[in-house]
Amino acid sequence: MTMLMLGVESSCDETAAAVVADGRVMLANVVSSSEQFHKAYGGIVPEIASRKQLEYLLPVCTAALETAGVAPADLTAVAVTHGPGLIGSLVVGLIGAKAFAYVHDLPLIGVNHLEGHLYANWIRLPDDPRPEPMLPALVLVVSGGHAHLVWMQDHGDYRILGRTRDDAPGEALDKAARLLDLGYPGGPAIDWLSREGDPRAIAFPRALLPGTHDFSFSGLKTALAQYLRKTGAGERAPVADIAASFQEAIMTVLVEKLFAAADLLAPAQVVLAGGVAANSRLRALAEARAARDGIPVSLPPRVLCTDNAAMIAAAGYFRALRGEFSEQDLDASASLPLAE
Ligand code: KG4
Ligand code: ZN
């Protein structure tokens, strides 16, 4: 029997609801964002984000059910992000999902946001013929808040091999965009601008941290600030070249470290996930390296890289298969770990 999962995601500035069948087929995926209200501040204001979550949650859930043509009684369960993220934002989605599950007598499933990102790789869009990822997989989750290298032995079995010691790659891109006056969020702006830029124009530092699977990106941000301070308008490279060089420094380190780890650990598959996995340069570099090394790589559809609820519903499905349901006293946790 088909399992229909309602997914709810509210960990940051996106309010999202989705209906997914059997963890793979997306029947509806509605994402609303308070992004425009944060632009003036150059970053997310948690108070604004949580207020907007409250405003958007019900319309987004209603739209997802309507689009999918699914009544609450047809659903198998409700999967909801309960961390990590902004606590005020998380609480809104969690309480909403709990109330919905309670009144419709549906089981509740708490999902880790990073686990959700990873399961974006299991969702297939209608014209997407790729096979699903093989396990064990080596997963790189890169977003605005995280850079995690994860060993996924099996569904639900994760071991964190490395993580960023300072900034996340999305955070570094967002901060660089602010320095370059490119607006918020910076990742997509830098991605776009870099297409016209020379990635070799400026030699920004690459922290490879040999001997570990950890990452570090704060030195890169400092290097950019210094470059901008030292160069006057006349001698400065065009902004597209600066953006492309900065992006190149991040993406080459990610790819280098990911495939070095793959070389060591021989996973069945290398997998990318998270908002930064939408980056066109990272995708191109990863695909080229995977072909060279003869390791299959899985990239989520770009629309499912950034925050959405379809990925939460997919992760919830695999939890349901394992009988991992949550109680009504499930808590939100700003720092919920993916694995111990
Ligand atoms: O996964 P996500 O939506 O939210 C978090 O869980 O953090 O990731 C958001 C991050 C932001 O830092 C944004 O700048 C970055 O992902 N991002 C990108 C691209 N699209 C979004 N970074 C690089 N290239 C992109 N195309
Ligand atoms: Zn995310």
Side-chain angles (χ1 to χ4, degrees):
M1 205 181 81
T2 303
M3 271 204 219
L4 286 178
M5 192 73 63
L6 174 69
V8 177
E9 155 62 39
S10 73
S11 66
C12 196
D13 59 337
E14 269 86 27
T15 315
V19 180
V20 174
D22 291 337
R24 298 174 181 90
V25 183
M26 212 162 69
L27 304 183
N29 184 37
V30 181
V31 183
S32 176
S33 176
S34 59
E35 187 184 290
Q36 55 170 312
F37 301 101
H38 306 282
K39 273 192 196 303
Y41 306 94
I44 290 167
V45 183
E47 175 69 19
I48 296 176
S50 54
R51 282 171 190 271
K52 290 293 167 188
Q53 292 287 359
L54 205 54
E55 198 179 314
Y56 297 160
L57 186 66
L58 206 55
V60 158
C61 289
T62 308
L65 290 169
E66 265 179 29
T67 307
V70 162
D74 303 329
L75 292 167
T76 310
V78 182
V80 60
T81 306
H82 68 117
L86 300 173
I87 194 69
S89 287
L90 284 166
V91 162
V92 175
L94 181 58
I95 291 179
K98 279 185 186 178
F100 186 91
Y102 183 77
V103 299
H104 296 294
D105 202 16
L106 292 165
L108 182 74
I109 302 174
V111 170
N112 182 298
H113 181 75
L114 300 175
E115 179 186 21
H117 272 305
L118 202 146
Y119 275 97
N121 283 280
W122 268 262
I123 299 170
R124 286 289 166 268
L125 301 183
D127 53 356
D128 185 353
R130 293 172 307 144
E132 62 186 48
M134 293 175 286
L135 300 174
L138 180 66
V139 192
L140 178 69
V141 191
V142 273
S143 68
H146 302 271
H148 277 10
L149 193 64
V150 181
W151 184 259
M152 181 177 181
Q153 181 65 36
D154 201 349
H155 292 285
D157 183 354
Y158 318 110
R159 192 155 59 85
I160 296 171
L161 305 175
R163 64 180 82 217
T164 182
R165 294 182 180 175
D166 38 58
D167 292 352
E171 187 182 357
L173 289 164
D174 292 339
K175 286 176 177 170
R178 206 181 314 171
L179 289 172
L180 296 171
D181 263 335
L182 299 175
Y184 176 85
I190 290 186
D191 189 353
W192 188 247
L193 193 60
S194 296
R195 291 167 199 218
E196 297 151 28
D198 175 6
R200 289 174 307 273
I202 305 153
F204 285 120
R206 285 152 167 76
L208 283 166
L209 308 184
T212 84
H213 295 303
D214 284 350
F215 304 94
S216 169
F217 297 106
S218 66
L220 184 56
K221 174 193 64 196
T222 310
L224 172 63
Q226 272 171 356
Y227 173 80
L228 294 176
R229 226 178 9 250
K230 277 194 211 141
T231 52
E235 47 191 329
R236 190 174 292 170
V239 65
D241 287 356
I242 305 176
S245 302
F246 188 86
Q247 172 180 275
E248 193 73 1
I250 293 184
M251 304 312 162
T252 50
V253 166
L254 291 176
V255 169
E256 186 51 44
K257 297 215 63 159
L258 173 59
F259 283 87
D263 210 26
L264 216 60
L265 302 165
Q269 179 108 40
V270 161
V271 172
L272 263 70
V276 177
N279 184 268
S280 33
R281 185 67 182 146
L282 177 61
R283 295 171 81 91
L285 286 171
E287 276 179 335
R289 181 64 180 262
R292 196 195 87 182
D293 292 3
I295 303 177
V297 65
S298 174
L299 301 169
R302 288 183 74 159
V303 288
L304 296 179
C305 288
T306 46
D307 289 351
N308 65 85
M311 68 186 197
I312 303 302
Y317 165 80
F318 286 94
R319 280 189 176 256
L321 288 185
R322 302 194 296 275
E324 291 176 14
F325 296 97
S326 307
E327 300 297 330
Q328 275 284 335
D329 64 358
L330 178 70
D331 267 337
S333 162
S335 58
L336 186 71
L338 177 63
E340 293 318 318

